[in-house]
Amino acid sequence: MLSVTFLGTGASIPTIDRNVSGLAVQREGETILFDCGEGSQRQMMRYGVGFSFREIFFTHYHADHLLGVTGLLRTMGLQDRTAPVLLYGPRGAQRVLGTAVNLGIERNKFPVDILEIKPGDRLARDEYDIVVFATEHRADTVGYALMEHPRLGRFNPERARELGIPEGPLWGQLHRGTAVTLPDGRTVGPSELVGSPRPGRSLVYTGDTRPHLSVIEASRNADLLIHEATFGGDELERARETGHSTAAEAARVALEAGARRLVLTHISSRYNRDASELLAEAQAVFPETSIARDGMTIDVPYAEILH
Ligand SMILES: [Zn+2]
Ligand SMILES: [Zn+2]
């Protein structure tokens, strides 16, 4: 299972309908947060995202992506959290995140580690990597791609039986890519009954950004691209001035990257209730687009490979 829950989908200021930025990724029982705007902890409670996460990845330090972390950590302390929390962010992490972590007079009851990351970093996990890429937003900013490692190729049990390979450990060895010797002395290699490795799933979160080549490169064939789209086409100048994207620009990024699906977030309060204008502008370029709303959960399925 890989899914994304939008905790906040509005730009800059919270409104009744849209909180400021926050994203919870849930993968095989693990929760990872990206950005943590003011009020994120209450959104987590509302939308059933537990506090058992270990890591928060910040795209940048504008207040609408950051202010929620202090309260969230305090609540976790009151809930007797003891396990460490890791906060990642671009240049300035120690100073900015350190201030947020230590704000107020309470002491943290559990370790909070702050790690500065930069574009090009690849944080390896058991089954996936978090890839850090450059974005363009008039500040030190990054985006993140979660890229699962390739899965084993498909194992063909009928072929295994035809070859007289007894069901059991030998099947597992072949599936993992090792040649096996059968009781009768024959050697069988995996290529005879295991397909080529299948790609894992990938999702990309841009944070605030202008359209940028590095975003396109990070989003190549992504199963899900979550791109900011603060403005509509009539505010292109304003998007340029403030380092944001229009809906159509985000759609062109998705198109050029060959992403499977695009979800727009960080929506200006002007489109708070009705973002249909943004949706139409984006879908004219990239039909597989939707607009995020608070509490929306999207599953990221495996791409079906046609044989
Ligand atoms: Zn923002
Ligand atoms: Zn920003």
Side-chain angles (χ1 to χ4, degrees), residues 44-301:
M44 293 170 74
M45 296 172 193
R46 185 173 284 143
Y47 302 129
V49 176
F51 287 2
S52 60
F53 67 90
R54 203 171 68 90
E55 300 177 308
I56 309 178
F57 293 87
F58 292 89
T59 58
H60 65 300
Y61 309 125
H62 280 149
D64 59 318
H65 297 250
L66 170 71
L67 286 186
V69 70
T70 309
L72 174 58
L73 294 176
R74 293 295 170 273
T75 299
M76 290 162 69
L78 291 169
Q79 292 175 339
D80 298 326
R81 167 94 179 200
T82 53
V85 169
L86 287 90
L87 308 180
Y88 299 84
R91 185 155 54 186
Q94 299 297 341
R95 181 176 58 83
V96 182
L97 296 178
T99 302
V101 167
N102 294 308
L103 189 62
I105 56 173
E106 298 93 343
R107 289 233 179 102
N108 278 306
K109 295 175 181 164
F110 53 92
V112 179
D113 294 325
I114 297 169
L115 290 118
E116 187 171 307
I117 44 73
K118 61 182 186 310
D121 284 354
R122 179 177 276 263
L123 311 174
R125 302 289 182 266
D126 285 349
E127 296 177 341
Y128 61 87
D129 292 347
I130 302 277
V131 179
V132 186
F133 59 91
T135 55
E136 186 188 330
H137 182 55
R138 315 182 64 116
D140 285 314
T141 61
V142 296
Y144 296 99
L146 186 155
M147 312 190 70
E148 290 185 333
H149 300 162
R151 291 178 296 157
L152 298 175
R154 214 179 288 279
F155 185 83
N156 185 339
E158 291 84 38
R159 183 75 185 127
R161 289 194 191 93
E162 278 169 26
L163 290 167
I165 306 167
E167 194 168 343
L170 293 180
W171 284 29
Q173 285 176 36
L174 280 161
H175 198 187
R176 288 189 297 274
T178 314
V180 299
T181 305
L182 304 182
D184 62 13
R186 279 181 298 142
T187 297
V188 180
S191 62
E192 294 189 51
L193 68 180
V194 181
S196 39
R198 294 167 289 170
R201 297 162 295 193
S202 61
L203 68 88
V204 176
Y205 172 55
T206 64
D208 296 0
T209 188
R210 291 286 303 142
H212 198 276
L213 185 61
S214 63
V215 179
I216 296 170
E217 281 167 1
S219 310
R220 288 265 175 248
N221 306 317
D223 293 298
L224 174 63
L225 169 59
I226 300 163
H227 199 296
E228 77 120 288
T230 308
F231 297 116
D234 60 341
E235 290 190 286
L236 176 59
E237 257 330 293
R238 202 166 154 215
R240 287 199 180 114
E241 282 163 16
T242 55
H244 288 292
S245 300
T246 68
E249 285 177 325
R252 276 195 291 277
V253 170
L255 184 69
E256 286 180 40
R260 284 175 62 213
R261 183 170 183 188
L262 170 67
V263 177
L264 304 178
T265 188
H266 203 270
I267 308 297
S268 161
S269 55
R270 180 177 153 186
Y271 309 96
N272 190 34
R273 288 255 164 97
D274 180 11
S276 55
E277 199 179 320
L278 298 187
L279 184 63
E281 288 177 15
Q283 284 183 334
V285 177
F286 189 79
E288 289 303 310
T289 305
S290 38
I291 306 266
R293 52 173 205 284
D294 289 16
M296 184 165 97
T297 294
I298 293 180
D299 288 314
V300 184

